[in-house]
Amino acid sequence: MLRLWPLGLGVNFSFTGDGEGNGATVGLDNYADLIDDPLFRTALRNVGLLVLLLPVAVAIPGLLATFIYLRVPGHRFFRSVYFFPAVLSPVIVGAIFNLLLAFDGPLNDVLGGSGVGPVDWLGDPDVAMFAVVGVHIWATSGMALVVFLAGFATLDPALLDAARVDGASLARMIWHVIIPGLSRTIQFVVVTTMIGMLTSMFGLLYVMTSGGPEGSTYLPEYYIWVQQGQMSRPALASAASTVLFLIMLVVGLLQVGLLRRAGRED
Amino acid sequence: MKQRTLWSATLVAGLVVLAGCGSASDPDSASGGSKDKLVVWDWKSGDAAASAYVKKAKADFAQQHPGVTVEFAAQPFEQYYTLLGAAIQAGKGPDVMLFNGGGQIRDRADSLLPLDEYVRDDKKRLAGWEAFTKDGKTYAAPVTLQGHPIYYNKSLYRKAGLDPEQPATSWDEFVANCRTITKATGARCFAQGNKEGIGIQFFLSGLGSGVLSPTEYDDWIAGKRDWSSPAVKRVFSLWKETNDKGLNNDGANSTAMFNDAFAVFQSNKAAHIIGLMSDIGHWKDFAEFLDAGDVGVMEPPVVTAGATPSLPYDGGIGYAVAKSTKDPKVAADLVRSLTSTDALKPFYADAGAIVADRTVDVSSGGPAVATIVSGIDRGKPALHVALSSKTVDLMGRLSQQLLSGSVTVDAAVKQLAASDQAG
C-alpha cells in the first residue's frame, strides 16, 4: 500500500492541470504536451542512446578485469585505481571533470599541444552527451569491475591454461574462453549497468551540463525535476514520471526475462 | 495466478477511477509555522555577509512581537525553487519566503498573500516593487535592486591607450575599442558565460536599451512585445555576431556565468562584463580582485539610432508571505522588518548589495556604486524579467543554438514569440 499509493497519486496527478487549471481534469493533455515538447523527445532519444552505449559501458570494466585477472604488471595497484572512482559522489566527479573538460582546461591544453584543435566537450551539443556518459562510465566501472573479478574466481583456470598451451592469442582467449565462461556475470553487469545509466546520471548531468547545451543532455528524470521545480508544472512532471515509470517497467521486464533465460541455461 | 490478475485489474481500475481527481499542488494547505512561530525560507541568511542584516531584522520584529519565534531555514540557491515548489505542493511550505523578482514569483502568485494593505507605508521608501507585482497586486517587498550594469576594466583601457573615463557611447566605437584592447593586452571584449543559458538574459537586458527605441522598450515591459520588429531581431543577431566575431571568451556555451565568466573578467582576460547589482557578480566582488578604482560602469552603447540607453533594473530579491500562513498580519510585519532601513543598511555595507531602500546612504561605496545609483532614477525594468519562466528557459536554449549556429535568428525569434504569446 505504501508503495502503490504514491505511485497511484502520481499517475492520477498526470491527468490534472497546472497553474490556473490546478486540480481540473485535463484527460491526456499533459501527455499530448509531452509529445509536443522537443525537450522531452530529446530526453527519450537520450535514453535510446544510453541503451546503445551499454555494450561499451560493460566492455570497459570487463576488459580491465580481464587484464587484472591475467596479472598484468602492477595488477594489484590497478585494481585499487580502477575501483577508486566508485567511492566518489557524482557531484565531486562532475566538479572534477568540469575543470578537466573546460574549454580552457587541461585536456584541451594537451590536445592543443599535440596539434589537435580544442574540443568544446561540454558546450558542443554533438559531444556533450558522450562526455557525460564517458564520465559516468569512468565513475561507475569500478563496481562492475569487482563483479567481473568475482566472476573470474569461478572460471576454470585449466581452460585458460589449455588455451595458452594451444598458443591462443589474447583476443581468442577472451572470445572463446572468457566470454562464454562469464556469461552469467556479463548478463548481471548488463542489467545493473543499464539500471545505473537510466537512474543514476542526474547528479552528473546537473553538475556538468544542467541539461545543456541546447537541451542536448536532457534525460527524463532531469526533465521531471525541471518541470516540477523550475517551471512549477507538477502535473506535467507527473505525466513525465509516468512515462519514465513505463520505460523502467519495460526495461525491468526485459531484465527479468534475461535473468530467467540465464538461469535456464545454467 | 488468478488472484494476481485480480490484484492487477483492481489497481488499474483504481487508477482509472482516481484519474484526474485532486491536484498535484495544494495551495490551500497549512504552512510550516504556527501562530507562535514563523518559518522563513531563503538562500541568504546562511551567508556571513547577511548575518548582520538578519540579526537587525529579527531584533526589529522581536520588539513588535516578543512572543513569536522566527526560524530561518537557508536553502541552497541552485535547488531553492525546486525545494520551495515541492514544499508548497506538500502543504509544508514556509510562512515567509524569499523570491527573485519576475517570473518565479509570478508563477507562484496563487500560493502567496497579496501584501498591498500591509506595506502601504513602505511604497515610497522602497524601489523595485514592479518585479513582485502581478495583475496589480503586490506579492513581495523588495530587499535589493537587481540590474545589469556593464562593468569594464579601466586598467585594460589604460594599457590599450584608451581613456578609461570616456567609454564608448556607440556600438561601432565600442567594438573598435575592444579590438584595440585585444590587440594591446590579449583580453577579449566580453566575459561571457552561457552554460546555463543565463548569458542571454544579461545580454538582452544589459544592452537592450541601446537597441530598442524608448517606445518599443516600454511596450515590451507592458507586455506588448513585437518579436518581429527589426530592433528585437537585432538584439539576437548582435548576440550571435558578438560571439562569431570573437568578442566573447572562447567556449561561452560551456562557461558557467557563476562564477567562471566572472572569473574571466576578474582575471583581466576580458575587458567588459554585463554583471549584477546585487549581490554577487557585482562591483564589490570585482573590487576584491581588481583595484576598486579600476572597476568602471558604463551605459549601454547605442546600437540603433534613436535608442536611449538606461540602467536596466528591477526589484532584485524580496520577501513574500504564504497565503496559508496562520496570521497574515504578523507574517507581513516580519516582511516589513526584513525591509526596514536599519536592517538594509548593514546588508549594503557587508554584502555590497544595492538595497531597495532609497534612504540608505551609499556615498562611501566608490565610483562604481555612484554610477549605478545615479542611473536608478532614469532606469527602466530589465527586459528579460518581463518574460515568463518558460520563455526565459526557451531563450536560454535558443541562445546556445544561436552561438553554435544550429538555429537562425528568425527561427529563434519566431519560437520565442510563440512561447511568449502562449503565456
Side-chain angles (χ1 to χ4, degrees):
Chain A
M1 193 62 191
L2 287 171
R3 286 167 187 267
L4 290 178
W5 182 244
L7 179 67
L9 280 182
V11 175
N12 174 48
F13 290 153
S14 73
F15 297 110
T16 66
D18 283 315
E20 287 173 3
N22 183 26
T25 304
V26 297
L28 294 171
D29 284 5
N30 287 323
Y31 292 91
D33 283 355
L34 284 180
I35 293 166
D36 284 344
D37 190 345
L39 214 50
F40 188 69
R41 294 202 298 269
T42 303
L44 290 184
R45 265 200 305 277
N46 281 337
V47 170
L49 181 68
L50 291 182
V51 173
L52 289 177
L53 291 172
L54 188 65
V56 180
V58 175
I60 288 173
L63 277 175
L64 294 176
T66 304
F67 294 147
I68 289 173
Y69 178 72
L70 296 176
R71 297 178 187 280
V72 291
H75 61 275
R76 286 197 178 85
F77 170 73
F78 284 121
R79 190 165 52 189
S80 309
V81 168
Y82 295 146
F83 185 73
F84 176 66
V87 302
L88 295 175
S89 121
V91 176
I92 302 292
V93 172
I96 291 169
F97 276 90
N98 267 350
L99 294 172
L100 290 175
L101 301 176
F103 194 87
D104 57 352
L107 183 57
N108 274 341
D109 284 348
V110 172
L111 288 178
S114 61
V116 183
V119 178
D120 201 357
W121 298 102
L122 302 176
D124 184 334
D126 296 329
V127 176
M129 192 65 195
F130 293 98
V132 177
V133 174
V135 173
H136 177 78
I137 292 171
W138 177 88
T140 56
S141 60
M143 203 57 86
L145 179 131
V146 169
V147 176
F148 271 119
L149 288 176
F152 272 116
T154 65
L155 196 66
D156 186 356
L159 290 172
L160 283 175
D161 291 340
R164 277 199 197 98
V165 169
D166 289 347
S169 65
L170 177 64
R172 279 181 175 276
M173 276 204 289
I174 291 174
W175 187 250
H176 292 292
V177 180
I178 292 177
I179 290 180
L182 293 184
S183 62
R184 289 199 70 188
T185 307
I186 293 169
Q187 282 164 355
F188 178 77
V189 173
V190 165
V191 168
T192 52
T193 304
M194 183 178 272
I195 292 171
M197 288 176 95
L198 289 178
T199 60
S200 307
M201 283 186 60
F202 180 89
L204 267 187
L205 277 180
Y206 182 80
V207 174
M208 291 183 70
T209 63
S210 303
E214 307 176 22
S216 62
T217 57
Y218 262 74
L219 283 175
E221 54 179 345
Y222 190 79
Y223 180 90
I224 292 162
W225 182 82
V226 168
Q227 293 302 330
Q228 195 284 129
Q230 306 290 306
M231 298 293 119
S232 197
R233 299 191 68 186
L236 184 72
S238 297
S241 300
T242 306
V243 173
L244 180 60
F245 167 71
L246 292 174
I247 291 171
M248 295 303 293
L249 197 66
V250 170
V251 170
L253 289 174
L254 286 174
Q255 291 162 4
V256 169
L258 205 68
L259 288 171
R260 272 190 186 153
R261 203 180 64 179
R264 276 201 300 272
E265 280 169 1
D266 199 47
Chain B
M1 185 69 185
K2 271 184 181 174
Q3 199 174 11
R4 196 164 58 183
T5 310
L6 187 67
W7 269 107
S8 303
T10 308
L11 174 64
V12 171
L15 291 177
V16 170
V17 170
L18 269 174
C21 302
S23 66
S25 63
D26 188 0
D28 297 325
S29 300
S31 60
S34 64
K35 272 214 159 204
D36 302 327
K37 182 182 168 188
L38 288 174
V39 177
V40 184
W41 274 30
D42 61 16
W43 61 89
K44 285 290 164 207
S45 55
D47 289 356
S51 69
Y53 158 66
V54 172
K55 205 172 163 186
K56 282 270 185 191
K58 279 174 108 170
D60 183 69
F61 180 75
Q63 212 171 12
Q64 298 171 53
H65 300 282
V68 181
T69 310
V70 178
E71 184 183 295
F72 278 81
Q75 311 289 347
F77 179 66
E78 313 81 60
Q79 295 166 40
Y80 182 75
Y81 289 109
T82 307
L83 295 171
L84 184 64
I88 290 173
Q89 285 149 29
K92 301 292 178 192
D95 299 278
V96 174
M97 65 210 90
L98 191 61
F99 273 105
N100 289 104
Q104 289 292 2
I105 189 165
R106 289 183 184 127
D107 286 352
R108 291 177 174 82
D110 289 350
S111 311
L112 303 175
L113 181 78
L115 294 178
D116 299 87
E117 64 173 299
Y118 304 107
V119 296
R120 207 165 285 133
D121 293 344
D122 300 328
K123 284 277 181 178
K124 276 188 183 165
R125 179 174 58 86
L126 300 173
W129 292 95
E130 295 80 4
F132 303 108
T133 303
K134 186 182 181 185
D135 300 331
K137 289 179 182 169
T138 305
Y139 290 96
V143 172
T144 64
L145 299 180
Q146 184 59 286
H148 300 272
I150 303 174
Y151 293 96
Y152 67 102
N153 184 331
K154 292 185 179 180
S155 154
L156 291 176
Y157 268 64
R158 264 193 299 276
K159 282 180 190 162
L162 300 168
D163 181 355
E165 305 309 322
Q166 300 290 327
T169 53
S170 75
W171 181 253
D172 290 341
E173 187 192 353
F174 177 77
V175 173
N177 283 355
C178 283
R179 298 274 187 231
T180 308
I181 291 168
T182 303
K183 202 173 173 185
T185 67
R188 294 293 176 91
C189 183
F190 278 115
Q192 186 58 267
N194 200 41
K195 184 174 180 175
E196 305 90 346
I198 298 174
I200 185 67
Q201 298 173 32
F202 285 44
F203 191 88
L204 170 67
S205 292
L207 295 174
S209 66
V211 187
L212 271 59
S213 71
T215 311
E216 267 189 309
Y217 199 107
D218 294 342
D219 284 349
W220 176 290
I221 300 300
K224 293 179 277 181
R225 290 181 274 277
D226 179 7
W227 288 91
S228 60
S229 96
V232 171
K233 286 185 182 176
R234 183 72 185 117
V235 177
F236 292 93
S237 66
L238 204 63
W239 162 258
K240 183 172 165 52
E241 278 172 37
T242 301
N243 200 64
D244 289 351
K245 289 180 179 173
L247 299 181
N248 292 337
N249 50 275
D250 288 326
N253 270 354
S254 56
T255 303
M257 177 66 79
F258 302 93
N259 292 307
D260 296 350
F262 295 138
V264 170
F265 177 71
Q266 287 162 181
S267 57
N268 293 305
K269 290 178 183 164
H272 307 85
I273 188 166
I274 303 171
L276 296 168
M277 282 159 58
S278 151
D279 51 348
I280 185 173
H282 66 339
W283 64 279
K284 193 163 184 171
D285 271 359
F286 299 147
E288 284 179 21
F289 299 90
L290 306 172
D291 190 282
D294 284 341
V295 180
V297 176
M298 63 185 284
E299 282 197 331
V302 174
V303 180
T304 314
T308 309
S310 60
L311 177 72
Y313 84 94
D314 294 270
I317 53 174
Y319 282 99
V321 175
K323 194 190 264 180
S324 54
T325 193
K326 302 284 187 309
D327 190 337
K329 168 79 173 64
V330 175
D333 280 348
L334 177 57
V335 170
R336 294 197 68 202
S337 293
L338 285 161
T339 51
S340 66
T341 304
D342 279 350
L344 294 177
K345 271 182 193 168
F347 199 30
Y348 158 73
D350 297 347
I354 306 293
V355 291
D357 192 329
R358 295 172 187 277
T359 66
V360 172
D361 179 18
V362 296
S363 58
S364 61
V369 175
T371 311
I372 292 169
V373 172
S374 70
I376 286 176
D377 278 343
R378 50 193 189 80
K380 290 185 176 183
L383 294 173
H384 76 273
V385 178
L387 302 174
S388 69
S389 306
K390 198 179 167 188
T391 304
V392 165
D393 184 58
L394 174 65
M395 186 168 70
R397 285 195 302 280
L398 287 169
S399 71
Q400 293 173 333
Q401 289 181 295
L402 283 168
L403 295 191
S404 71
S406 60
V407 74
T408 63
V409 171
D410 282 342
V413 167
K414 201 174 164 187
Q415 286 187 52
L416 288 167
S419 171
D420 193 28
Q421 277 155 17

